[in-house]
């Protein structure tokens, strides 16, 4: 209800999508600091490279800085070179995510599914984890929908000004396709264009 209200949509807009189950997961992650890490790639900038989450939304708490997000107004502004590497925006475009106090503050990260449901009214949040001198811990709850739930733009978000821009898929299909593409070396984030490959992936429709 709160999400639909924020988007000026009917309160029951997302009810059917989220009432039949959840393919989400929860993770507790420890990221070692530079002194703890034993890796040949000691100069790497990122602990986790830029990506968007394939689920609907993510709740994340971290006890120290390390997570960075890319603001929406920087999406699609790829450039050659820069501090962030070839084909990226550079370090200045990435913003440090806030650090929670005693576990009471969580960051909300929009995922691919909500971008597809809202026909792009909400955009999946690009984020990355940078390597730090300090160690950090995070607790992450990935919220998805049931495996066979159909994901496609909802009628409330299709208008003459915003025609349907995303194809139909299921939660299971989107997860499996995204993971398969990652295994093939196709990350969910396109650094050359600063757009999400996974959120905008076009599935064949019958």
């Amino acid at each position: 209800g709160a999400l639909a209200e924020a988007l000026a949509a009917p309160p029951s807009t997302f009810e059917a999508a989220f009432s039949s189950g959840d393919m989400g997961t929860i993770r507790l992650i420890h990221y070692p600091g530079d002194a703890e890490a034993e890796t040949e790639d000691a100069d790497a900038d990122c602990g986790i490279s830029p990506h968007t989450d394939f689920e609907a939304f993510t709740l994340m708490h971290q006890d120290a800085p390390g997570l960075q997000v890319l603001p929406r107004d920087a999406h699609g502004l790829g450039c050659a070179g820069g501090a962030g590497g070839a084909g990226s925006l550079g370090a200045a475009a990435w913003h440090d995510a806030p650090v929670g106090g005693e576990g009471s503050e969580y960051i909300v990260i929009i995922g691919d599914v909500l971008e597809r449901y809202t026909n792009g009214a909400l955009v999946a949040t690009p984020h990355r984890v940078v390597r730090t001198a300090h160690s950090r811990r995070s607790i992450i709850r990935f919220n998805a929908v049931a495996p066979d739930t159909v994901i496609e733009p909802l009628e409330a978000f299709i208008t003459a000004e915003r025609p349907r821009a995303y194809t139909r898929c299921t939660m299971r299909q989107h997860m499996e396709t995204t993971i398969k593409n990652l295994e093939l070396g196709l990350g969910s984030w396109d650094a050359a264009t600063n757009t999400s490959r996974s959120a905008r992936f076009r599935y064949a429709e019958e």
Side-chain angles (χ1 to χ4, degrees):
L3 178 59
E5 182 180 350
L7 292 166
S12 61
T13 297
F14 299 102
E15 186 174 315
F18 290 96
S19 63
S20 57
D22 182 358
M23 203 176 177
T25 57
I26 188 167
R27 297 181 67 189
L28 304 174
I29 303 178
H30 170 250
Y31 297 91
D34 286 345
E36 301 174 65
E38 295 181 1
T39 174
E40 296 179 1
D41 193 13
D43 295 327
D45 291 330
C46 296
I48 299 179
S49 60
H51 65 284
T52 58
D53 293 338
F54 58 72
E55 297 89 352
F57 64 96
T58 303
L59 300 176
M60 192 276 246
H61 170 82
Q62 59 177 355
D63 66 355
L67 178 72
Q68 295 186 332
V69 299
L70 188 66
R72 179 167 179 166
D73 58 8
H75 296 195
L77 300 179
C79 64
S88 70
L89 277 170
W94 291 89
H95 291 205
D96 290 325
V99 175
E102 297 298 323
S104 60
E105 296 179 8
Y106 282 77
I107 302 158
V108 180
I109 298 172
I110 301 298
D112 295 352
V113 169
L114 278 181
E115 177 171 336
R116 299 178 79 90
Y117 271 142
T118 63
N119 202 32
L122 291 177
V123 176
T125 308
H127 52 288
R128 68 182 185 180
V129 176
V130 295
R131 301 194 67 173
T132 60
H134 56 266
S135 65
R136 57 185 288 273
R137 293 170 298 175
S138 65
I139 179 169
I140 309 167
R141 175 61 163 95
F142 299 98
N143 298 273
V145 293
D148 296 323
T149 298
V150 174
I151 300 165
E152 62 181 334
L154 301 174
E155 290 298 325
F157 303 100
I158 301 175
T159 64
E161 295 75 24
R162 187 189 289 274
R164 176 184 167 126
Y166 298 79
T167 52
R168 181 185 301 109
C169 64
T170 64
M171 184 69 248
R172 178 186 286 108
Q173 182 183 16
H174 186 60
M175 180 193 75
E176 291 178 350
T177 299
T178 303
I179 292 174
K180 180 179 179 180
N181 285 339
L182 287 171
E183 291 172 347
L184 294 173
L186 298 173
S188 71
W189 185 249
D190 185 345
T193 61
N194 280 296
T195 56
S196 174
R197 291 192 186 101
S198 58
R200 302 182 184 189
F201 190 86
R202 298 198 65 80
Y203 293 91
E205 294 182 305
E206 296 181 358

